[in-house]
Amino acid sequence: MAGLSGNITLQQGPRSDQLGHMGGAQPEAENTLEEPVSETILRDLKRIAFKLKYVLIPRSAEQEKAKQLRDWDLWGPLLLCLFLALTLSISSSSGNSEQDTASLVFGIVFVVVWVGAAIVTINAQLLGGNVSFFQSVCLLGYCIFPMNVASLLVIILGFVPYIKIPIVLAGFAWSTLSSIGFMTQLVPESRKVLAEYPVILFYLFLGWFILVI
């Protein structure tokens, strides 16, 4: 029987730049199976804070900002959405005796954020945008952070006359500038206005909801 010889090569795992669909993939592979849960949580919190920096500084290095936000995750947007929903539900229940009011407000905010982000994302893709669904949802979710700050300030300073409108307008403008700067890079030049319009409506509705609550 003839001898068998040859080289056996192991197939390499998927490259880190192909793991965008998993969320939060880093350029270097990380072995996190044996690390403590506290370290995993701390690393994720640092990653969320790092991305929030690009939301707070809308005109910071656009290409670096785009690179970081393309490395999507949904933990940050989920936490920000929950915070906004909890803030507004607590605010609504403080001035209303109905027990179901807080639950209704919480549900409305939660649905509006995720469904609205999905609609804006689908619109950008239909316009020829070069972005994945979860990348866009991640971006829009992180950019509601100024609206979170605005809702918190409205609760704290709401007793001051005429203070709510300027605070909410500032949060709306900040959120819109942060997201539009990224979204307009993904669609053709001739369709930028069509991509910006739903984004403005998305944050405008959130701002209006903060005011009426």
Side-chain angles (χ1 to χ4, degrees), residues 19-39:
L19 293 177
H21 63 283
M22 297 177 63
Q26 295 299 314
E28 298 84 9
E30 296 180 358
N31 182 12
T32 60
L33 295 178
E34 298 181 357
E35 72 176 5
V37 175
S38 59
E39 290 186 14

Side-chain angles (χ1 to χ4, degrees), residues 24-161:
Q26 295 299 314
E28 298 84 9
E30 296 180 358
N31 182 12
T32 60
L33 295 178
E34 298 181 357
E35 72 176 5
V37 175
S38 59
E39 290 186 14
T40 303
I41 295 175
L42 182 61
R43 187 182 64 253
D44 289 339
L45 290 176
K46 287 181 179 179
R47 187 177 300 167
I48 291 172
F50 188 72
K51 291 181 180 180
L52 284 177
K53 180 186 72 172
Y54 292 99
V55 175
L56 294 174
I57 311 176
R59 297 303 180 185
S60 60
E62 292 293 341
Q63 298 198 355
E64 179 64 20
K65 174 182 176 181
K67 177 182 176 183
Q68 293 298 330
L69 291 178
R70 280 181 182 274
D71 179 24
W72 62 268
D73 70 271
L74 297 181
W75 287 113
L78 177 60
L79 291 176
L80 294 175
C81 175
L82 290 175
F83 181 83
L84 181 62
L86 285 172
T87 302
L88 293 181
S89 62
I90 292 173
S91 176
S92 64
S93 63
S94 63
N96 197 319
S97 59
E98 297 183 5
Q99 297 180 353
D100 295 336
T101 302
S103 299
L104 178 62
V105 171
F106 183 93
I108 291 175
V109 174
F110 196 86
V111 171
V112 166
V113 169
W114 291 105
V115 174
I119 293 174
V120 172
T121 299
I122 293 172
N123 176 73
Q125 291 180 329
L126 292 176
L127 293 174
N130 183 24
V131 61
S132 75
F133 181 84
F134 290 110
Q135 286 173 349
S136 179
V137 170
C138 171
L139 164 77
L140 295 168
Y142 271 106
C143 288
I144 68 171
F145 178 69
M147 306 300 292
N148 281 321
V149 176
S151 65
L152 189 60
L153 290 176
V154 165
I155 292 177
I156 297 174
L157 303 175
F159 63 91
V160 181

